[in-house]
Amino acid sequence: MSTKTNSLSKLALQKFKKNFWGVFSFYFIIFVGVISVFAYVFAPDNSKHANQMHVSIHSKAPGFSINMLMLPSQIKTKQGFLDKIFFGKINTVTEIPISEYNINGNRINYTEYASDGLKGVEKSYVNKDKSIDTEALITTKTFYLGTDKYGRDLLSRILVGARISFFIGFVAVFISLLIGVFMGSVAGYFGGKIDAVIMWFINVTWSIPTLLLVIAITLALGKGFWQVFIAVGLTMWVEVARVVRGQIISAKQMQYVTAARALGFNNFRIITKHILPNIMAPVIVICAANFAAAILIESGLSFLGIGAQPPMASWGAMIKDHYNYIILGKPYLAIIPGLCIMFLVMAFMLIGNALRDALDVKN
């Protein structure tokens, strides 16, 4: 049995490797996964949630550059290396966009940047810390994708926002697998009244619109990061349960299950060791589709304002904040996060199709 399983797995892998879009989508998903985990390493603005605001330079076009005066703070923070990498840096430095400046000894005379052609306020700053070079307090920042309506770096927000959209797929699919495989296995294997009760519960859950059910669960659990993950996961298990139930009803009539019963194996071992490993192909395919569905649901919730809460970066929330800019001449503020959602969802759908073809023993 194990030799046959290994040979079928190798055959499926070879068929998957021949599917260009499946392989391309796989590497794209790996790329987004790396970006999600190490977002603060790649983001130009590595502050927590990439939330460094400069209202005076809001809604600037991609490639916008400006001089920034970095005023040091007396506040000292203790933050570990791993904490900075995975959760962002606690930024105590005050950043001031400036249009003009001149340095006279340890004094910096500068003009604050003002949008719409207005004259900025002229100020001066005296550097009293001799350990810091005065010229080093001025740096040039480039916003490669421009700035949002609050003057935050759009590229950094996109990179950090990938974390929510990517990981909600994993959490939602994990929860749906735990519940769906258990419920489907019990219903399909034992049948009878147990099957009738579980199927009634599945059909009731199925009949409720997914978004409406997620909204209800989110409101019950409260708004927040993990609440959305759990809510989405609790609505996606019915599809898994139906597929597992149908597969087990067919598989339990097979000879290897009859042989396992004759050998005296208990029901738990027959289900987990013999039936489930042989029916996981369609479950894997539906999990790929659930990844895409989870990303879309989270984006919709964030757009409605009941997903990830500000200042946390989320692609859906970024579309909500900037969809008005589509008619104000700066559509990229909403289109860029929209394209990110589209590409990631498409990648999961393509890899799902590739897995379906690779795991289909009839081809």
Side-chain angles (χ1 to χ4, degrees):
M1 177 67 71
S2 61
T3 304
K4 183 179 179 181
T5 303
N6 290 335
S7 62
L8 289 174
S9 300
K10 290 180 180 178
L11 181 62
L13 182 60
Q14 290 174 357
K15 289 170 67 177
F16 179 78
K17 287 180 179 178
K18 293 178 182 178
N19 190 312
F20 170 78
W21 289 111
V23 174
F24 178 82
S25 299
F26 174 77
Y27 284 113
F28 178 77
I29 291 168
I30 293 295
F31 171 74
V32 176
V34 172
I35 292 292
S36 301
V37 175
F38 300 104
Y40 290 106
V41 176
F42 300 110
D45 178 10
N46 64 348
S47 62
K48 193 172 183 180
H49 304 310
N51 195 43
Q52 191 70 37
M53 296 185 185
H54 311 97
V55 181
S56 60
I57 56 171
H58 69 90
S59 311
K60 294 299 180 182
F64 174 75
S65 294
I66 192 169
N67 291 322
M68 200 76 72
L69 176 61
M70 316 290 285
L71 300 182
S73 173
Q74 300 297 323
I75 302 173
K76 294 184 179 180
T77 59
K78 293 182 179 180
Q79 193 176 14
F81 176 71
L82 293 177
D83 190 40
K84 289 181 182 179
I85 290 179
F86 294 114
F87 301 105
K89 182 181 178 183
I90 299 174
N91 194 3
T92 58
V93 176
T94 302
E95 298 182 2
I96 303 175
I98 58 177
S99 54
E100 299 175 2
Y101 73 94
N102 64 76
I103 300 175
N104 185 9
N106 64 341
R107 177 184 292 273
I108 302 175
N109 300 308
Y110 63 92
T111 303
E112 291 185 356
Y113 181 87
S115 58
D116 301 326
L118 300 175
K119 178 68 175 176
V121 179
E122 295 182 357
K123 294 183 179 180
S124 63
Y125 172 76
V126 179
N127 179 23
K128 298 179 180 180
D129 191 344
K130 296 181 180 179
S131 63
I132 301 176
D133 184 13
T134 303
E135 293 186 3
L137 295 176
I138 302 234
T139 184
T140 301
K141 275 197 171 186
T142 301
F143 299 89
Y144 297 101
L145 290 182
T147 59
D148 67 5
K149 69 177 185 179
Y150 299 109
R152 298 174 294 196
D153 182 34
L154 189 62
L155 174 60
S156 300
R157 298 282 293 178
I158 289 287
L159 295 177
V160 176
R163 180 174 290 186
I164 291 179
S165 294
F166 189 78
F167 283 111
I168 194 168
F170 278 101
V171 177
V173 168
F174 177 73
I175 294 173
S176 67
L177 274 177
L178 281 180
I179 302 174
V181 170
F182 173 76
M183 299 287 274
S185 299
V186 172
Y189 187 80
F190 294 103
K193 292 183 178 179
I194 295 175
D195 182 31
V197 171
I198 292 177
M199 281 306 299
W200 176 85
F201 185 59
I202 287 174
N203 289 329
V204 170
T205 308
W206 190 283
S207 66
I208 302 173
T210 302
L211 193 58
L212 183 63
L213 188 59
V214 171
I215 291 172
I217 295 173
T218 304
L219 293 176
L221 296 176
K223 297 180 181 180
F225 184 66
W226 290 106
Q227 289 90 328
V228 174
F229 282 26
I230 295 170
V232 174
L234 289 176
T235 61
M236 304 186 75
W237 65 270
V238 287
E239 296 178 0
V240 178
R242 288 174 70 96
V243 171
V244 171
R245 174 184 174 271
Q247 292 292 318
I248 285 187
I249 289 174
S250 300
K252 72 179 182 179
Q253 307 299 330
M254 297 293 183
Q255 292 181 354
Y256 67 87
V257 177
T258 305
R261 286 173 181 158
L263 290 171
F265 294 148
N266 59 42
N267 293 327
F268 179 78
R269 175 165 179 171
I270 293 173
I271 294 172
T272 57
K273 298 290 186 181
H274 300 276
I275 298 179
L276 286 180
N278 288 286
I279 66 164
M280 288 309 290
V283 177
I284 292 171
V285 174
I286 202 170
C287 282
N290 281 350
F291 261 99
I295 293 168
L296 288 174
I297 292 171
E298 185 280 325
S299 300
L301 289 173
S302 294
F303 183 84
L304 294 172
I306 56 177
Q309 297 301 297
M312 192 174 288
S314 168
W315 290 345
M318 293 170 72
I319 296 174
K320 175 196 173 185
D321 288 340
H322 301 102
Y323 71 92
N324 289 330
Y325 284 76
I326 294 175
I327 60 174
L328 294 177
K330 296 176 181 177
Y332 59 88
L333 290 172
I335 290 175
I336 290 175
L339 288 174
C340 292
I341 294 171
M342 185 187 77
F343 289 142
L344 188 56
V345 169
M346 187 182 295
F348 276 112
M349 296 304 292
L350 288 173
I351 202 171
N353 292 337
L355 286 171
R356 182 196 60 202
D357 296 337
L359 296 170
D360 188 359
V361 295
K362 295 180 181 178
N363 293 334

